[in-house]
Amino acid sequence: MSRITAAITGVAGYVPEGVITNADLEKMVDTNDEWIRTRTGISERRYIKDPKKATSDMGAEAVKLLLEKTKTDPKDVELIVCATISGDYVFPDTGALICDKTGCTNAYGLEVRAACSGFLFALSTGVRFIESGAHKKVIVVGADCMSRIVDYQDRSTCIIFGDGAGAVMLEPSVEGFGVQDVLLKSDGSGYNYLHMKAGGSAFPATHETVDAREHYIFQDGQPVFRMAVRGMSNVITELLDRNHLEKSDLDWLVPHQANIRIIQSIGEFLNFPAEKVMVNIQKYGNTTAGTIPLCLWEYEPQLKKGDKLILTAFGGGFTWGAIYLTWAY
Ligand code: UT7
């Protein structure tokens, strides 16, 4: 019997209508357009204007478009894995809320929290359910509503993040297309470089934690930058080696969109032509779990069956990794 691989058979994305430009940020904190563009590559980012909407609503919009594009009956979906660190609630699971909002009433939700690497961890989870034969249709969502957890008084973080969601359909491929290899890493000793200080069981919410603005993202940017470049370069190298691939064999690199300088460093390390590196950070900033599926969504028209892609990310935890896949359509 031939091995079942898990292939991406469709991709969709959603970004909310609200736009925060660098000029808008100049009015909120001591920054300027030139600094933001040259240090990060970002010109604008999106945010959810409607206070009644949250992460699951963006995820649901991406899933609804995906169901439409792939002509899938929502009742046929068996599992929705949702990567997010800005779920609607501490509990319940954001995946469960997305199932409900999209009519995927036979599916169960599963939330994965691996910050900026979340989509890779969620994709890897979904892949296992397909490869094992347990499920035939799994949706993997990466969605984050960063505008709700960013401190718009902190110029070192508020310029980076934005809101957005992407989703992919995973189905079995008997032709062998889809995810070929997964390499994921975490190092919890790095938690304090990039985290939310309060609101969890370590430091529950109190008046003091709110006053100290500890329910927002904290990031020590420079060390994270260095570790991101090193971490992603290392996992890509290992993945190429163990799959007997030359750098020139790759058709696309799909990096997490955290900083254009990080993306360029990895591209240079791989000696990879810039036009084969997916980039949309200028429009959306860092949407955390949303960046990779949003890139796939935007570049979908350029992808060809059999193309070799490496997806890579680094984020809070620390978490990082890379996935090697072949495009199935
Ligand atoms: O996605 C998950 C993982 N996260 C990442 O991969 C992000 C990694 N880190 C980064 O992308 C960058 O470190 C940042 C974009 C966060 C910061 O850029 P940087 O080039 O590392 O700046 P820096 O923190 O070294 O600061 C350089 C200077 C400082 O001023 P002094 O001390 O040299 O006078 C900062 O205070 O830039 C100042 N600065 C700013 N100036 C204008 C910091 N933020 C701003 C700002 N506007 N928004």
Side-chain angles (χ1 to χ4, degrees):
M1 204 175 82
S2 61
R3 173 183 162 235
I4 300 172
T5 51
I8 294 178
T9 55
V11 56
Y14 173 80
V15 287
E17 69 285 6
V19 176
I20 303 177
T21 63
N22 292 348
D24 294 328
L25 289 167
E26 284 176 7
K27 294 178 201 132
M28 299 182 208
V29 288
D30 180 13
T31 190
N32 59 77
D33 173 58
E34 209 251 328
W35 192 96
I36 301 173
R37 275 189 297 100
T38 52
R39 304 307 292 168
T40 71
I42 303 168
S43 296
E44 56 185 48
R45 61 296 283 146
R46 299 298 185 92
Y47 78 104
I48 299 187
K49 278 183 175 170
D50 185 346
K52 295 197 186 71
K53 301 277 185 197
T55 298
S56 71
D57 298 292
M58 292 194 301
E61 289 304 322
V63 170
K64 281 191 258 179
L65 179 60
L66 181 69
L67 293 168
E68 201 183 299
K69 275 181 72 178
T70 56
K71 300 184 175 45
T72 303
D73 182 342
K75 303 274 187 294
D76 290 341
V77 178
E78 296 162 272
L79 165 64
I80 296 185
V81 190
C82 178
T84 188
I85 50 157
S86 54
D88 296 22
Y89 304 97
V90 171
F91 74 93
D93 186 296
T94 308
L97 301 177
I98 296 176
C99 291
D100 175 52
K101 289 178 181 180
T102 55
C104 294
T105 47
N106 293 323
Y108 60 98
L110 178 58
E111 189 171 309
V112 170
R113 300 209 304 164
C116 292
S117 312
F119 184 75
L120 297 188
F121 282 61
L123 183 62
S124 152
T125 306
V127 162
R128 306 305 177 204
F129 283 96
I130 298 283
E131 287 176 344
S132 68
H135 297 321
K136 298 261 182 304
K137 282 189 195 294
V138 172
I139 292 178
V140 180
V141 178
D144 268 302
C145 188
M146 301 305 289
S147 64
R148 300 276 164 79
I149 57 169
V150 156
D151 184 354
Y152 286 98
Q153 294 183 14
D154 175 9
R155 69 176 182 172
S156 68
T157 52
C158 73
I159 54 148
I160 300 170
F161 294 101
D163 300 347
V168 300
M169 181 72 75
L170 281 182
E171 292 179 274
S173 163
V174 283
E175 294 177 287
F177 289 112
V179 172
Q180 307 296 318
D181 199 8
V182 174
L183 180 55
L184 301 177
K185 305 261 185 187
S186 74
D187 176 4
S189 70
Y191 83 96
N192 55 332
Y193 290 98
L194 179 51
H195 69 306
M196 186 181 289
K197 293 184 177 175
S201 56
F203 297 100
T206 62
H207 287 291
E208 289 72 26
T209 61
V210 172
D211 290 344
R213 308 185 76 77
E214 289 177 350
H215 295 270
Y216 295 117
I217 292 169
F218 168 83
Q219 175 171 255
D220 189 356
Q222 270 196 14
V224 177
F225 187 111
R226 283 195 298 273
M227 285 180 272
V229 174
R230 195 185 322 139
M232 286 188 278
S233 300
N234 287 344
V235 285
I236 292 170
T237 306
E238 195 177 332
L239 206 57
L240 289 171
D241 282 353
R242 74 185 194 188
N243 287 280
H244 312 292
L245 289 169
E246 297 296 327
K247 293 166 184 179
S248 55
D249 292 330
L250 292 180
D251 296 291
W252 292 97
L253 180 67
V254 194
H256 169 55
Q257 310 283 299
N259 187 317
I260 194 67
R261 291 182 294 130
I262 295 178
I263 296 170
Q264 285 163 348
S265 301
I266 298 168
E268 280 160 24
F269 164 80
L270 281 174
N271 196 14
F272 205 60
E275 64 275 13
K276 289 188 170 185
V277 182
M278 294 190 189
V279 174
N280 61 13
I281 191 171
Q282 68 284 0
K283 292 189 287 186
Y284 305 138
N286 181 348
T287 55
T288 302
T291 61
I292 289 178
L294 280 172
C295 276
L296 292 174
W297 177 49
E298 289 213 351
Y299 281 79
E300 186 194 27
Q302 297 182 54
L303 292 169
K304 295 189 300 298
K305 189 170 179 172
D307 275 358
K308 294 183 173 69
L309 284 71
I310 284 192
L311 324 181
T312 189
F314 186 95
F318 293 116
T319 56
W320 69 105
I323 292 183
Y324 162 47
L325 61 88
T326 54
W327 200 248
Y329 61 97

